[in-house]
Amino acid sequence: MTKFLLSVHVLAAVLAIGPVTVAASMFPKALRHAHSEPGAPEPLTTLRMLHRICRVYAVFGLAVPVFGFATASSLGVLGDAWLITSIVLTAVAAAVLALLILPTQEEALAAAEASGTPIPSDGSPEPGSGSPEPGSGSGSRVPGRLAMLTGIFNLLWATVTVLMIIRPGSTTGV
């Protein structure tokens, strides 16, 4: 049963977290493209698709810790330091995604859909700003902020992956 749980845990991580990391990483560049072509349908369609991938696969990603806990319980390693560290890092990664990346993507997408409206750093329209040059003003900060947040998210998952493979101090034969 342990090998089955571990297999499902790893498959869930690859199939659910992988698409989120890729789509979230692609979003800032697509947002810059949308800034350079305000109102163009193709960049907006790309932004919508990438955001939807992030949202949907984030929900599927909940299977990763569920099967992770089941696997850890069957291995008897729930109290091991490497696992506790992985759990904390996973929770931080989930918080970064749910509380920072997804809402910022949603606000940036909504602002990009409002043709010609700049996308300021806080996600709200700038009063009296009109239609600025693409990439000018504080709106150009959103893609960079999203890229930074996505980088943090990806680094957290990479760290969890390394901990899951190396398992410092583990005595299990799996």
Side-chain angles (χ1 to χ4, degrees), residues 146-162:
L146 272 170
M148 176 196 65
L149 291 171
T150 301
I152 291 168
F153 174 77
N154 292 344
L155 184 59
L156 287 165
W157 276 115
T159 304
V160 169
T161 302
V162 169

Side-chain angles (χ1 to χ4, degrees), residues 66-150:
V66 168
F67 284 100
F69 275 112
T71 303
S73 178
S74 70
L75 289 171
V77 295
L78 282 173
D80 288 6
W82 65 271
L83 184 66
I84 294 169
T85 302
S86 294
I87 291 168
V88 169
L89 292 175
T90 298
V92 172
V96 168
L97 181 63
L99 302 175
L100 299 172
I101 294 173
L102 292 176
T104 304
Q105 282 183 350
E106 194 167 320
E107 291 169 0
L109 177 58
E113 289 175 333
S115 62
T117 302
I119 304 171
S121 59
D122 66 355
S124 60
E126 291 180 9
S129 60
S131 182
E133 293 295 316
S136 67
S138 62
S140 62
R141 299 172 84 181
V142 174
R145 181 170 185 262
L146 272 170
M148 176 196 65
L149 291 171
T150 301

Side-chain angles (χ1 to χ4, degrees), residues 21-34:
T21 60
V22 172
S25 296
M26 292 173 66
F27 194 93
K29 183 178 180 181
L31 184 58
R32 285 185 190 99
H33 187 229

Side-chain angles (χ1 to χ4, degrees), residues 26-46:
M26 292 173 66
F27 194 93
K29 183 178 180 181
L31 184 58
R32 285 185 190 99
H33 187 229
H35 280 206
S36 68
E37 297 181 31
E42 184 180 325
L44 292 175
T45 301
T46 302

